[in-house]
Amino acid sequence: MHAVKRLLWWLLAGSVGGFNRGRILEVLLRNPSNAHELSQVLKLDYKTVRHHIEVLEKNRLITSMGADYGKVYFPSDLLEEHVDYFNEIWGKIGKKEIRRK
Amino acid sequence: MKNSGNPKEKMLAVLLILLILGVVMGAILSKASLSYVERQARRQGRLDSSIARGVWNAFVGMYTLGTIIICMNLMLLLGLLGAYIQSYRRTKSSFLLGLIMFLGVLVAQSLLSLPILHVSVGTVLYRSNIFTILPNLFETIALIILFYLSME
Protein backbone atom coordinates (compact mmCIF):
# COMPACT_ATOMS: atom_id res chain seq x y z
CA MET A 1 0.00 0.00 0.00
CA HIS A 2 1.26 3.47 -0.85
CA ALA A 3 2.44 5.54 2.16
CA VAL A 4 -0.04 8.38 1.54
CA LYS A 5 -2.88 5.91 1.02
CA ARG A 6 -1.99 4.25 4.33
CA LEU A 7 -1.88 7.66 6.05
CA LEU A 8 -5.30 8.57 4.64
CA TRP A 9 -6.79 5.23 5.72
CA TRP A 10 -5.53 5.82 9.23
CA LEU A 11 -6.63 9.45 9.49
CA LEU A 12 -10.05 8.93 7.87
CA ALA A 13 -11.02 5.45 9.04
CA GLY A 14 -8.56 4.25 11.66
CA SER A 15 -9.09 6.96 14.22
CA VAL A 16 -12.18 8.25 15.95
CA GLY A 17 -12.55 11.74 14.38
CA GLY A 18 -11.93 10.38 10.87
CA PHE A 19 -15.33 11.13 9.42
CA ASN A 20 -15.18 14.83 10.32
CA ARG A 21 -11.61 15.03 9.00
CA GLY A 22 -12.86 13.60 5.71
CA ARG A 23 -15.60 16.23 5.56
CA ILE A 24 -13.05 18.98 6.26
CA LEU A 25 -10.76 17.74 3.46
CA GLU A 26 -13.75 17.47 1.10
CA VAL A 27 -14.62 21.15 1.72
CA LEU A 28 -11.01 22.35 1.49
CA LEU A 29 -10.45 20.52 -1.80
CA ARG A 30 -13.38 22.47 -3.26
CA ASN A 31 -12.87 25.73 -1.45
CA PRO A 32 -9.98 26.86 0.82
CA SER A 33 -11.48 28.22 4.06
CA ASN A 34 -10.65 29.36 7.56
CA ALA A 35 -11.60 27.48 10.73
CA HIS A 36 -14.67 29.62 11.40
CA GLU A 37 -16.03 29.07 7.89
CA LEU A 38 -15.41 25.33 8.19
CA SER A 39 -17.30 25.17 11.48
CA GLN A 40 -20.23 27.07 9.89
CA VAL A 41 -20.35 24.96 6.72
CA LEU A 42 -19.97 21.61 8.49
CA LYS A 43 -22.05 22.62 11.55
CA LEU A 44 -19.25 21.52 13.85
CA ASP A 45 -17.99 23.01 17.09
CA TYR A 46 -15.15 25.50 16.48
CA LYS A 47 -12.83 23.69 18.92
CA THR A 48 -13.48 20.37 17.14
CA VAL A 49 -12.63 21.95 13.78
CA ARG A 50 -9.42 23.45 15.20
CA HIS A 51 -8.43 20.06 16.61
CA HIS A 52 -8.93 18.27 13.28
CA ILE A 53 -7.13 21.04 11.40
CA GLU A 54 -4.19 20.64 13.76
CA VAL A 55 -4.09 16.88 13.11
CA LEU A 56 -4.36 17.33 9.33
CA GLU A 57 -1.68 20.03 9.29
CA LYS A 58 0.62 17.96 11.50
CA ASN A 59 0.27 15.12 9.00
CA ARG A 60 1.04 17.47 6.07
CA LEU A 61 -2.31 16.98 4.34
CA ILE A 62 -3.24 20.66 4.53
CA THR A 63 -1.29 23.87 4.60
CA SER A 64 -2.18 27.40 5.74
CA MET A 65 -1.70 31.03 4.86
CA GLY A 66 -2.24 34.12 7.05
CA ALA A 67 -2.23 34.48 10.80
CA ASP A 68 -4.44 33.73 13.80
CA TYR A 69 -8.21 33.69 13.25
CA GLY A 70 -8.04 34.65 9.58
CA LYS A 71 -5.71 31.75 8.72
CA VAL A 72 -6.91 30.12 5.50
CA TYR A 73 -6.35 26.41 4.98
CA PHE A 74 -5.59 24.72 1.65
CA PRO A 75 -4.99 21.14 0.57
CA SER A 76 -1.22 20.52 0.63
CA ASP A 77 0.79 19.56 -2.45
CA LEU A 78 0.97 16.06 -0.99
CA LEU A 79 -2.83 15.79 -0.87
CA GLU A 80 -3.32 17.40 -4.29
CA GLU A 81 -0.82 14.92 -5.73
CA HIS A 82 -2.66 11.96 -4.24
CA VAL A 83 -6.22 13.23 -4.35
CA ASP A 84 -7.25 10.01 -6.15
CA TYR A 85 -6.46 8.07 -2.98
CA PHE A 86 -8.61 10.45 -0.96
CA ASN A 87 -11.50 10.10 -3.41
CA GLU A 88 -11.16 6.31 -3.40
CA ILE A 89 -11.18 6.02 0.43
CA TRP A 90 -13.77 8.72 0.98
CA GLY A 91 -15.95 7.10 -1.70
CA LYS A 92 -15.86 3.90 0.31
CA ILE A 93 -16.40 5.24 3.82
CA GLY A 94 -17.84 8.73 3.44
CA LYS A 95 -20.88 7.75 1.39
CA LYS A 96 -21.83 5.01 3.84
CA GLU A 97 -21.59 7.51 6.70
CA ILE A 98 -23.72 10.11 4.90
CA ARG A 99 -26.34 7.48 3.97
CA ARG A 100 -26.49 6.47 7.61
CA LYS A 101 -27.17 10.05 8.79
CA MET B 1 -23.54 22.99 17.10
CA LYS B 2 -22.74 19.42 18.02
CA ASN B 3 -19.60 17.67 19.35
CA SER B 4 -18.82 20.49 21.76
CA GLY B 5 -15.78 20.31 24.04
CA ASN B 6 -12.11 19.91 23.38
CA PRO B 7 -11.48 16.47 21.75
CA LYS B 8 -8.03 16.23 23.33
CA GLU B 9 -9.41 16.77 26.85
CA LYS B 10 -12.16 14.22 26.19
CA MET B 11 -9.59 11.71 25.00
CA LEU B 12 -7.43 12.21 28.10
CA ALA B 13 -10.49 11.86 30.35
CA VAL B 14 -11.50 8.56 28.67
CA LEU B 15 -7.91 7.31 28.91
CA LEU B 16 -7.76 8.13 32.61
CA ILE B 17 -11.13 6.47 33.31
CA LEU B 18 -10.05 3.29 31.49
CA LEU B 19 -6.76 3.15 33.40
CA ILE B 20 -8.50 3.70 36.76
CA LEU B 21 -11.08 1.02 35.89
CA GLY B 22 -8.19 -1.33 35.06
CA VAL B 23 -6.48 -0.63 38.39
CA VAL B 24 -9.72 -1.20 40.35
CA MET B 25 -10.55 -4.37 38.41
CA GLY B 26 -6.99 -5.69 38.84
CA ALA B 27 -6.95 -4.94 42.57
CA ILE B 28 -10.28 -6.71 43.14
CA LEU B 29 -9.34 -9.70 40.97
CA SER B 30 -5.94 -10.17 42.62
CA LYS B 31 -7.31 -9.74 46.15
CA ALA B 32 -10.11 -12.24 45.56
CA SER B 33 -7.91 -14.84 43.91
CA LEU B 34 -5.00 -14.42 46.35
CA SER B 35 -7.12 -15.18 49.39
CA TYR B 36 -8.12 -18.46 47.71
CA VAL B 37 -4.51 -19.31 46.78
CA GLU B 38 -3.32 -18.47 50.31
CA ARG B 39 -5.96 -20.72 51.88
CA GLN B 40 -4.87 -23.56 49.61
CA ALA B 41 -1.17 -23.00 50.43
CA ARG B 42 -1.81 -22.89 54.19
CA ARG B 43 -3.88 -26.05 54.05
CA GLN B 44 -1.03 -27.82 52.31
CA GLY B 45 1.42 -26.44 54.92
CA ARG B 46 3.48 -24.67 52.26
CA LEU B 47 3.70 -21.38 54.18
CA ASP B 48 5.04 -22.74 57.44
CA SER B 49 8.71 -21.74 57.21
CA SER B 50 9.96 -18.13 57.34
CA ILE B 51 11.64 -18.57 53.92
CA ALA B 52 8.32 -19.68 52.45
CA ARG B 53 6.61 -16.64 53.96
CA GLY B 54 9.29 -14.34 52.44
CA VAL B 55 8.76 -15.93 49.02
CA TRP B 56 5.00 -15.61 49.50
CA ASN B 57 5.25 -11.86 50.21
CA ALA B 58 7.34 -11.30 47.07
CA PHE B 59 4.85 -13.43 45.13
CA VAL B 60 1.88 -11.38 46.44
CA GLY B 61 3.49 -8.11 45.35
CA MET B 62 4.28 -9.26 41.80
CA TYR B 63 0.97 -11.10 41.46
CA THR B 64 -1.01 -7.98 42.41
CA LEU B 65 1.09 -5.67 40.26
CA GLY B 66 0.97 -8.11 37.32
CA THR B 67 -2.82 -8.46 37.56
CA ILE B 68 -3.31 -4.68 37.79
CA ILE B 69 -1.09 -3.98 34.76
CA ILE B 70 -2.76 -6.68 32.64
CA CYS B 71 -6.22 -5.43 33.64
CA MET B 72 -5.18 -1.91 32.58
CA ASN B 73 -4.11 -3.37 29.23
CA LEU B 74 -7.42 -5.20 28.93
CA MET B 75 -9.41 -2.03 29.60
CA LEU B 76 -7.37 -0.09 27.01
CA LEU B 77 -7.87 -2.91 24.49
CA LEU B 78 -11.62 -3.03 25.16
CA GLY B 79 -11.84 0.76 24.76
CA LEU B 80 -10.00 0.56 21.44
CA LEU B 81 -12.09 -2.41 20.30
CA GLY B 82 -15.29 -0.51 21.13
CA ALA B 83 -14.16 2.49 19.08
CA TYR B 84 -13.10 0.36 16.11
CA ILE B 85 -16.23 -1.81 16.13
CA GLN B 86 -18.34 1.36 16.14
CA SER B 87 -16.34 2.75 13.20
CA TYR B 88 -16.54 -0.59 11.38
CA ARG B 89 -20.32 -0.72 11.71
CA ARG B 90 -20.49 2.73 10.15
CA THR B 91 -17.98 2.26 7.35
CA LYS B 92 -17.68 -1.51 6.75
CA SER B 93 -14.03 -0.88 5.88
CA SER B 94 -11.77 -3.93 5.66
CA PHE B 95 -8.94 -1.83 7.09
CA LEU B 96 -10.89 -1.55 10.35
CA LEU B 97 -11.75 -5.24 10.30
CA GLY B 98 -8.01 -5.93 10.25
CA LEU B 99 -7.48 -3.61 13.23
CA ILE B 100 -10.32 -5.33 15.13
CA MET B 101 -8.71 -8.73 14.53
CA PHE B 102 -5.33 -7.34 15.63
CA LEU B 103 -6.85 -6.09 18.89
CA GLY B 104 -8.80 -9.33 19.37
CA VAL B 105 -5.55 -11.31 19.30
CA LEU B 106 -4.05 -8.90 21.86
CA VAL B 107 -7.08 -9.38 24.12
CA ALA B 108 -6.50 -13.16 24.00
CA GLN B 109 -2.79 -12.60 24.72
CA SER B 110 -3.61 -10.42 27.75
CA LEU B 111 -6.15 -12.91 29.11
CA LEU B 112 -3.57 -15.68 28.79
CA SER B 113 -0.97 -13.58 30.65
CA LEU B 114 -3.21 -13.07 33.70
CA PRO B 115 -1.35 -14.46 36.76
CA ILE B 116 -4.57 -16.10 37.98
CA LEU B 117 -4.38 -18.43 34.98
CA HIS B 118 -0.72 -19.27 35.65
CA VAL B 119 -1.43 -19.91 39.33
CA SER B 120 -4.43 -22.10 38.55
CA VAL B 121 -2.15 -24.51 36.69
CA GLY B 122 0.59 -24.41 39.38
CA THR B 123 1.84 -21.59 41.63
CA VAL B 124 5.50 -22.19 40.87
CA LEU B 125 4.91 -21.31 37.24
CA TYR B 126 4.25 -17.66 38.10
CA ARG B 127 7.68 -16.24 38.83
CA SER B 128 7.97 -13.50 41.44
CA ASN B 129 10.46 -11.17 39.82
CA ILE B 130 10.21 -7.89 37.95
CA PHE B 131 10.90 -9.52 34.57
CA THR B 132 7.58 -11.32 34.79
CA ILE B 133 5.62 -8.07 34.60
CA LEU B 134 8.01 -5.82 32.65
CA PRO B 135 6.80 -6.96 29.19
CA ASN B 136 3.19 -6.18 30.22
CA LEU B 137 4.23 -2.73 31.40
CA PHE B 138 5.76 -2.03 27.99
CA GLU B 139 2.54 -3.27 26.40
CA THR B 140 0.64 -0.69 28.50
CA ILE B 141 2.89 2.09 27.15
CA ALA B 142 2.40 0.82 23.58
CA LEU B 143 -1.37 0.70 24.05
CA ILE B 144 -1.48 4.23 25.48
CA ILE B 145 0.35 5.45 22.34
CA LEU B 146 -2.09 3.54 20.09
CA PHE B 147 -5.03 4.88 22.11
CA TYR B 148 -3.75 8.45 21.74
CA LEU B 149 -3.33 8.04 17.97
CA SER B 150 -6.70 6.33 17.57
CA MET B 151 -8.65 8.92 19.51
CA GLU B 152 -6.90 11.92 17.95
Side-chain angles (χ1 to χ4, degrees):
Chain A
M1 196 189 268
H2 191 281
V4 176
K5 197 174 178 182
R6 198 158 45 223
L7 175 69
L8 283 166
W9 262 119
W10 178 257
L11 288 176
L12 302 180
S15 38
V16 164
F19 179 62
N20 284 333
R21 281 196 276 272
R23 291 172 72 209
I24 290 174
L25 287 182
E26 199 177 27
V27 171
L28 293 182
L29 279 163
R30 276 200 317 262
N31 192 20
S33 325
N34 64 33
H36 180 69
E37 287 163 347
L38 283 170
S39 81
Q40 296 282 313
V41 171
L42 299 171
K43 294 191 170 36
L44 282 173
D45 179 67
Y46 181 76
K47 274 187 196 163
T48 307
V49 170
R50 289 231 50 105
H51 167 77
H52 290 311
I53 280 175
E54 199 183 298
V55 174
L56 291 169
E57 207 172 17
K58 207 164 65 182
N59 284 285
R60 297 171 195 277
L61 288 176
I62 60 172
T63 178
S64 60
M65 208 175 266
D68 300 330
Y69 292 104
K71 217 176 199 181
V72 177
Y73 295 92
F74 305 84
S76 68
D77 290 344
L78 186 75
L79 180 62
E80 295 272 21
E81 235 172 83
H82 300 97
V83 74
D84 289 346
Y85 289 145
F86 171 76
N87 291 333
E88 183 192 329
I89 296 166
W90 192 235
K92 279 183 191 164
I93 60 170
K95 276 180 201 154
K96 282 182 188 143
E97 276 275 4
I98 291 160
R99 225 180 285 141
R100 207 178 65 88
K101 291 210 163 191
Chain B
M1 296 273 163
K2 50 183 181 174
N3 294 341
S4 58
N6 188 337
K8 209 166 255 179
E9 281 169 13
K10 260 194 242 171
M11 185 265 291
L12 285 174
V14 174
L15 178 64
L16 204 66
I17 289 169
L18 287 174
L19 289 176
I20 291 170
L21 275 177
V23 171
V24 173
M25 200 173 102
I28 293 171
L29 188 66
S30 59
K31 193 141 182 74
S33 55
L34 268 173
S35 63
Y36 172 75
V37 174
E38 193 178 6
R39 267 202 312 277
Q40 292 280 80
R42 280 195 196 285
R43 199 178 305 148
Q44 292 161 1
R46 281 149 72 182
L47 293 179
D48 292 346
S49 70
S50 62
I51 297 173
R53 275 196 298 278
V55 172
W56 170 258
N57 289 339
F59 166 79
V60 167
M62 281 304 148
Y63 183 97
T64 309
L65 210 58
T67 307
I68 287 175
I69 290 170
I70 293 166
C71 284
M72 273 160 54
N73 291 350
L74 274 170
M75 291 315 293
L76 286 172
L77 284 167
L78 291 179
L80 283 166
L81 260 177
Y84 285 137
I85 289 172
Q86 202 180 10
S87 299
Y88 176 72
R89 280 164 65 187
R90 284 177 177 180
T91 61
K92 300 276 178 266
S93 116
S94 58
F95 175 79
L96 285 171
L97 198 61
L99 282 173
I100 290 168
M101 289 195 303
F102 166 77
L103 292 172
V105 173
L106 281 179
V107 169
Q109 185 257 354
S110 290
L111 287 173
L112 289 173
S113 329
L114 274 172
I116 187 171
L117 199 77
H118 295 221
V119 169
S120 66
V121 291
T123 309
V124 277
L125 289 179
Y126 192 77
R127 288 158 306 183
S128 306
N129 62 50
I130 192 77
F131 290 103
T132 315
I133 57 165
L134 218 49
N136 299 114
L137 196 62
F138 277 94
E139 192 183 331
T140 311
I141 298 168
L143 286 174
I144 289 174
I145 296 169
L146 183 63
F147 189 88
Y148 178 83
L149 290 174
S150 302
M151 299 295 153
E152 205 169 46

